Amino acid sequence: MKYKRLTKEQLEELQPEFINFLATQSITGEEWKSLKEEKPQVAEDEIDIFSDLIWEGVLAKVNYLENISAQHMHLFYAAEKEMKLLSVKVMNPKIDLTTVTGFNWFKKNWQSDFVEYLSASKVYTEDKNLDKFKLIEQGAVITKGELYKWFETMIKIE
């Protein structure tokens, strides 16, 4: 398995897609029930393959990721050939960026001496989607990139 198995809830949400997937494998509903009972490992393998296909489709469309903690924001832009990072560090220990109050403080004080910025970029490995997935595994979430784009207009990101 390349990525991570979808949760039971995710699989339930994707039931029509999973049925179509099984159909492309020439597995009928009755055969699926039989597989689950008689060859559970084969059924598990099919779920893993389906999970990887879903992850591939999702990750191929990801352009922005964010990982925000109490004192840091890591904003990622998945450019064509490299991953770009804008890192924000708040050096006021009383501020927690994960709270409304903390984020409001940041919006008012983003240019103060209590906020430090770093930008960087890294060329992808041979598997761009796996690079994105690893960030998700480390706590990043997929976004529309509004925060990254805002910073892009406010400060020059190379």
Side-chain angles (χ1 to χ4, degrees):
M1 171 154 233
K2 185 174 178 179
Y3 300 111
K4 179 171 119 181
R5 179 181 287 194
L6 297 173
T7 64
K8 182 180 180 188
E9 293 79 16
Q10 290 168 326
L11 286 168
E12 286 171 4
E13 284 290 318
L14 295 168
Q15 186 177 8
E17 290 84 353
F18 186 64
I19 291 168
N20 286 339
F21 166 77
L22 291 175
T24 64
Q25 308 283 20
S26 299
I27 299 172
T28 65
E30 287 300 314
E31 289 170 325
W32 177 245
K33 286 179 189 172
S34 173
L35 261 181
K36 289 193 303 185
E37 292 171 11
E38 297 167 20
K39 298 180 183 176
Q41 187 54 50
V42 173
E44 297 288 317
D45 291 346
E46 291 296 329
I47 293 170
D48 289 347
I49 292 166
F50 177 73
S51 294
D52 278 348
L53 285 171
I54 293 298
W55 274 111
E56 280 291 333
V58 168
L59 293 167
K61 296 175 185 171
V62 169
N63 291 317
Y64 295 94
L65 295 156
E66 293 177 3
N67 191 340
I68 300 175
S69 63
Q71 306 284 272
H72 293 88
M73 278 191 273
H74 295 101
L75 311 174
F76 300 93
Y77 169 53
E80 188 174 333
K81 297 183 190 279
E82 63 188 2
M83 181 75 68
K84 295 184 178 191
L85 164 69
L86 175 61
S87 178
V88 177
K89 181 179 180 182
V90 173
M91 294 173 292
N92 180 342
K94 295 178 182 175
I95 300 303
D96 182 345
L97 293 169
T98 63
T99 67
V100 172
T101 303
F103 200 77
N104 284 337
W105 176 92
F106 171 75
K107 288 193 291 188
K108 291 176 189 161
N109 297 282
W110 67 275
Q111 290 181 300
S112 79
D113 290 341
F114 290 104
V115 181
E116 191 175 87
Y117 299 95
L118 170 83
S119 64
S121 62
K122 181 181 175 187
V123 176
Y124 295 111
T125 64
E126 63 277 351
D127 192 335
K128 183 178 183 177
N129 286 345
L130 191 55
D131 292 345
K132 295 175 191 178
F133 182 76
K134 286 178 181 177
L135 290 173
I136 293 169
E137 287 284 277
Q138 294 168 10
V141 294
I142 299 167
T143 70
K144 294 178 181 175
E146 291 161 350
L147 199 49
Y148 188 97
K149 292 173 191 172
W150 179 82
F151 274 111
E152 211 170 29
T153 63
M154 300 312 269
I155 60 177
K156 181 79 171 133
I157 300 173
E158 294 298 325

